[in-house]
Amino acid sequence: MSLCQYSIVFALLFVGAFGHGDEELFLPLKTLQKIQHNHNEPSCSSQKSRSENGAIILEMKHKDYCFRSRGDLNKRLQKRLLADDIRVRSIQSHIKNVSSQHVEALSQTTTQIPIGSGVTLQTLNYIVTVTLGGRNMTVIVDTGSDLTWVQCQPCRLCYNQPEPLFNPSISPSFRSVACNSSACQSLESATGNSGLCGANSQTCNYLVSYGDGSYTKGELGQDHLVLGSSSVDNFVFGCGRNNRGLFGLASGLMGLGRSDLSLISQTSGVFGGVFSYCLPSTEAESSGSLVFGGDASVFKNSTPISYTKMVSNPQLFSFYFLNLTGMTVGGVAVQGSSFGKSGFLIDSGTVITRLPPSIYKAVKAEFLKQFSGYPLAPGYSILDTCFELSTYEEVNVPTIKMYFEGGAEMEVDVAGVFYFVKSDASQVCLALASLQYEDEIGIIGNFQQRNTRVIYDTKQSQVGFAKETCSFM
């Protein structure tokens, strides 16, 4: 690496020391292009895990790093945004159509796993590797889903995956879940579909359908799950025999929602219902962590954790809702009629943050005011605030902060402010989008959660934020 390249990387790591203090971030465009468009050949077979102070820590990677698609880069970028839009539309449709029926709802240790990328109601972007029935499985991490599932043999219809399919017949600890079991009866609250009996009452069939037409069908099973150095006996999961959709090449999905069948609920006796993650960028060297357990000493946060309470929504109990009370752009507070009035969904599976129109218009106007002087570029897919920056070596970017009830705040990392549509920086867009209607639910996407430690405490019903440069070491 040349001395010039070192200086660029150094500038990105210490952005607070450049530009105009806390209100503006110095952004070396070439470094961010590298982060968003790394072309190294991926290999996720070496994803790591460790135990520290009773915590299980899993290494986390971005899905694009582990399962990089072939073909034209710009087409892949457009496809990603289109898929993200489908996911958001599905979430909004689900929220509107959900019934008014209330969903009634376990010595804590901590575990950390590497995190990478991942699907829930459509598209996920981060993955981790776990061990199920003695076999390693790379699964998508999704806070918007509940049922964990993997593709299983014999499979009637399975999408391609590089890892061998899970084979329950060779796992000595695998057991089918009976139709009259509590797990089978919990399927409706976890998936929206009741469990169905197979040829005999010893088999409970499941169906999870996603808004874009993706689905997984199969039978409920239970087996020995290993998360880092922690073991979970009789873990209930979906053994998918018929699966199709936007799951990339992952072996399945890890459901981190709040229903009884979610991984968080099933392991609450061990981890106390607490988990957290630090989402890395797509750069090949970048890896974050998924931590199970509430021991904050294993975190590497550079700012104190600030907490906000979860917003109660009995109709949508499984989702994580927060009360967004304000936003600032470059230190300037913006006004929006939806601040503090409705819960915002925080989701690891949605990529781009969606704001109600009144908030988005205010953020966009203030951003354009402070980022004036740079040439505009055409909008792209769901993104309508774009710039032509191919002739610039560096730019000063206004900081964006989100504020939540109780004083919690989340500063958007510099890598989460701009989405590079074109790898030559000729089309670089503000990575925020507007919802269609004011009464739709806002969503905080994973692109804006990068390099932030996000802590979910289901027992205390709170979510915490702290700045952290994501790394698994």
Side-chain angles (χ1 to χ4, degrees):
M1 180 179 285
S2 68
L3 290 176
C4 179
Q5 287 173 310
Y6 270 121
S7 67
I8 287 175
V9 173
F10 181 85
L12 183 61
L13 291 176
F14 296 94
V15 288
F18 297 84
H20 297 83
D22 292 336
E23 296 181 359
E24 238 177 5
L25 296 175
F26 171 77
L27 177 61
L29 290 177
K30 289 182 179 179
T31 304
L32 193 55
Q33 284 171 273
K34 177 186 175 187
I35 289 175
Q36 293 197 20
H37 301 309
N38 188 282
H39 293 284
N40 291 352
E41 284 300 313
S43 173
C44 284
S45 59
S46 60
Q47 289 210 95
K48 307 173 186 67
S49 64
R50 73 174 186 270
S51 177
E52 184 178 326
N53 295 341
I56 299 300
I57 306 170
L58 302 185
E59 184 182 13
M60 204 170 189
K61 285 284 188 182
H62 192 278
K63 184 185 67 172
D64 285 2
Y65 163 58
C66 295
F67 301 132
R68 194 173 300 283
S69 304
R70 304 297 183 194
D72 182 77
L73 173 63
N74 292 330
K75 289 183 179 179
R76 295 205 309 269
L77 291 171
Q78 184 175 29
K79 184 177 180 181
R80 181 193 297 171
L81 288 181
L82 290 173
D84 196 47
D85 193 40
I86 292 172
R87 174 188 176 90
V88 169
R89 291 177 185 273
S90 174
I91 291 174
Q92 300 297 338
S93 177
H94 174 69
I95 290 172
K96 289 179 180 178
N97 296 331
V98 72
S99 69
S100 59
Q101 179 180 359
H102 286 219
V103 180
E104 299 296 334
L106 265 297
S107 85
Q108 181 180 335
T109 62
T110 310
T111 292
Q112 181 168 321
I113 325 175
I115 194 166
S117 174
V119 174
T120 166
L121 292 171
Q122 270 83 351
T123 338
L124 273 191
N125 291 321
Y126 291 88
I127 56 172
V128 296
T129 298
V130 300
T131 303
L132 183 64
R135 182 177 294 281
N136 284 348
M137 298 272 111
T138 301
V139 292
I140 290 167
V141 174
D142 191 1
T143 58
S145 291
D146 290 286
L147 182 67
T148 297
W149 60 269
V150 296
Q151 296 199 110
C152 281
Q153 292 183 355
C155 192
R156 289 184 288 275
L157 177 64
C158 279
Y159 57 85
N160 292 329
Q161 65 176 58
E163 297 170 337
L165 296 179
F166 181 80
N167 189 346
S169 66
I170 63 175
S171 172
S173 49
F174 178 85
R175 298 290 184 273
S176 293
V177 171
C179 250
N180 60 358
S181 65
S182 60
C184 189
Q185 294 167 6
S186 296
L187 270 174
E188 185 167 9
S189 64
T191 68
N193 297 303
S194 300
L196 302 173
C197 289
N200 57 70
S201 62
Q202 294 307 306
T203 303
C204 175
N205 293 330
Y206 77 90
L207 164 64
V208 183
S209 55
Y210 304 98
D212 66 334
S214 301
Y215 61 84
T216 174
K217 300 178 184 178
E219 65 195 54
L220 278 192
Q222 52 187 26
D223 210 329
H224 186 68
L225 175 69
V226 178
L227 301 168
S229 60
S230 292
S231 298
V232 182
D233 291 324
N234 301 316
F235 177 72
V236 177
F237 67 101
C239 197
R241 313 282 190 177
N242 192 325
N243 319 288
R244 173 165 288 182
L246 300 174
F247 307 116
L249 299 175
S251 297
L253 181 144
M254 175 189 285
L256 295 179
R258 304 178 69 186
S259 83
D260 290 344
L261 285 185
S262 76
L263 187 148
I264 301 307
S265 294
Q266 290 194 59
T267 61
S268 62
V270 180
F271 302 123
V274 181
F275 72 97
S276 70
Y277 53 66
C278 189
L279 303 179
S281 68
T282 57
E283 190 175 14
E285 302 86 45
S286 299
S287 62
S289 60
L290 174 63
V291 178
F292 294 100
D295 189 343
S297 68
V298 305
F299 304 155
K300 301 174 183 177
N301 51 299
S302 58
T303 62
I305 301 170
S306 58
Y307 285 95
T308 183
K309 68 179 182 180
M310 297 178 189
V311 176
S312 177
N313 191 326
Q315 297 176 340
L316 299 161
F317 171 79
S318 183
F319 292 110
Y320 298 98
F321 287 100
L322 310 176
N323 185 9
L324 182 71
T325 57
M327 290 182 67
T328 59
V329 178
V332 177
V334 300
Q335 304 299 316
S337 60
S338 289
F339 282 131
K341 290 188 177 180
S342 61
F344 266 63
L345 174 64
I346 182 168
D347 183 28
S348 68
T350 298
V351 179
I352 301 296
T353 290
R354 301 307 205 280
L355 301 172
S358 68
I359 298 177
Y360 177 74
K361 289 176 182 177
V363 170
K364 174 182 176 179
E366 186 60 36
F367 191 90
L368 286 171
K369 179 181 177 181
Q370 297 186 30
F371 201 65
S372 61
Y374 297 100
L376 297 175
Y380 182 84
S381 184
I382 58 174
L383 307 178
D384 66 6
T385 308
C386 304
F387 305 90
E388 213 289 18
L389 303 178
S390 60
T391 61
Y392 295 86
E393 289 293 322
E394 61 196 44
V395 294
N396 290 319
V397 183
T399 58
I400 297 177
K401 291 185 179 181
M402 298 182 178
Y403 299 88
F404 302 90
E405 183 177 353
E409 67 176 63
M410 184 186 80
E411 180 177 328
V412 177
D413 185 75
V414 64
V417 175
F418 278 139
Y419 187 95
F420 275 65
V421 172
K422 299 284 183 63
S423 56
D424 64 356
S426 62
Q427 196 174 11
V428 180
C429 302
L430 178 64
L432 299 170
S434 177
L435 292 166
Q436 188 172 3
Y437 303 108
E438 197 69 28
D439 61 353
E440 290 183 303
I441 298 297
I443 303 174
I444 302 168
N446 63 50
F447 204 83
Q448 283 67 47
Q449 296 178 53
R450 292 177 173 188
N451 290 315
T452 299
R453 174 62 59 180
V454 184
I455 304 102
Y456 297 76
D457 185 340
T458 63
K459 290 298 184 182
Q460 298 298 320
S461 193
Q462 61 183 6
V463 172
F465 301 96
K467 289 186 67 67
E468 179 175 332
T469 300
C470 295
S471 65
F472 180 86
M473 301 178 65

